[in-house]
Amino acid sequence: DSGVTQTPKHLITATGQRVTLRCSPRSGDLSVYWYQQSLDQGLQFLIQYYNGEERAKGNILERFSAQQFPDLHSELNLSSLELGDSALYFCASSVRMSSGANVLTFGAGSRLTVL
Amino acid sequence: AQSVTQLDSHVSVSEGTPVLLRCNYSSSYSPSLFWYVQHPNKGLQLLLKYTSAATLVKGINGFEAEFKKSETSFHLTKPSAHMSDAAEYFCVVSDPGYSTLTFGKGTMLLVSP
């Protein structure tokens, strides 16, 4: 158990629908990252939050949005789902080292299947 | 801009033989470098990290990586492969000042008996 909790583990839905993925970071970690992993695109960075504020944005579609709440848990909202959104969605939280590097701890992922 | 290239998409070894997974990086600064492992249907686990201290980094499960600035490489090695090492391995780079990490496309390690 990495300490990063993601729910649900599996989700099957239909095109056009909307889903919410939830992530609780490790205790004490203020940053939350979302990544999408698919066979054709590999691991793609979506978005990062730090203590409730958006810190960095990657290849996140406009149909996707995220937020981090005061208790530091985060939600990733995916709407108007398309077949191509089927993927593993990972959440990670981080601790910043003295060197300035961020070391990420990943959750087990949420597998989304869009039919 | 930071980027990372994993030179092999698949590596096959026999149990008990050495493992070499190759990674080259591109960075404008002195980067931090990581190797993560992903076992089937699991999340990513940190194997080891380089953050400008010793250039030879030891990780979990007997893995090591050496940072070579002149070659811009950070190859992952293990003297003797075990069946449980079969997984996908990701090389990752992070520039100072960038809060995000850039992942390579991954190398699938196959271990045969």
Side-chain angles (χ1 to χ4, degrees):
Chain A
D1 182 5
S2 68
V4 178
T5 304
Q6 288 188 248
T7 57
K9 285 188 170 34
H10 301 275
L11 191 53
I12 301 174
T13 188
T15 54
Q17 295 297 305
R18 172 190 168 96
V19 299
T20 298
L21 309 180
R22 184 189 166 101
C23 169
S24 293
R26 283 191 327 167
S27 176
D29 287 355
L30 300 179
S31 274
V32 169
Y33 303 72
W34 286 98
Y35 282 82
Q36 179 194 57
Q37 186 179 38
S38 60
L39 280 175
D40 53 343
Q41 297 287 330
L43 260 167
Q44 297 281 316
F45 167 67
L46 296 179
I47 198 164
Q48 179 207 356
Y49 279 82
Y50 177 82
N51 204 18
E53 304 274 337
E54 183 183 304
R55 178 60 64 91
K57 218 169 190 175
N59 300 320
I60 188 166
L61 300 171
E62 283 191 13
R63 300 183 285 108
F64 296 0
S65 64
Q67 54 184 325
Q68 186 179 27
F69 295 85
D71 67 353
L72 300 179
H73 91 272
S74 177
E75 293 181 357
L76 179 67
N77 300 296
L78 315 174
S79 61
S80 303
L81 285 168
E82 302 175 359
L83 295 177
D85 297 328
S86 296
L88 253 179
Y89 291 84
F90 285 108
C91 170
S93 66
S94 75
V95 58
R96 195 169 188 88
M97 302 178 64
S98 56
S99 62
N102 284 303
V103 179
L104 268 60
T105 301
F106 283 81
S110 293
R111 181 173 293 282
L112 173 65
T113 302
V114 183
L115 301 175
Chain B
Q2 56 189 28
S3 67
V4 62
T5 302
Q6 292 184 242
L7 298 165
D8 306 292
S9 59
H10 292 80
V11 169
S12 295
V13 300
S14 299
E15 193 173 22
T17 64
V19 175
L20 170 63
L21 306 183
R22 298 181 296 163
C23 172
N24 286 108
Y25 69 90
S26 172
S27 172
S28 304
Y29 306 95
S30 296
S32 296
L33 293 156
F34 309 84
W35 277 95
Y36 280 83
V37 60
Q38 184 179 24
H39 287 92
N41 300 312
K42 300 284 187 187
L44 288 92
Q45 181 185 19
L46 180 67
L47 263 185
L48 50 81
K49 59 184 180 288
Y50 166 77
T51 57
S52 74
T55 56
L56 182 62
V57 182
K58 293 187 185 301
I60 61 172
N61 300 333
F63 284 94
E64 289 184 349
E66 187 170 7
F67 173 71
K68 291 187 177 180
K69 187 173 181 178
S70 61
E71 299 176 12
T72 60
S73 68
F74 190 58
H75 301 335
L76 181 70
T77 61
K78 182 173 180 176
S80 175
H82 191 273
M83 295 296 290
S84 61
D85 295 328
E88 189 160 23
Y89 292 78
F90 293 91
C91 183
V92 183
V93 64
S94 174
D95 281 339
Y98 280 79
S99 58
T100 60
L101 279 63
T102 299
F103 282 75
K105 291 193 180 300
T107 298
M108 186 68 71
L109 177 64
L110 307 168
V111 183
S112 56

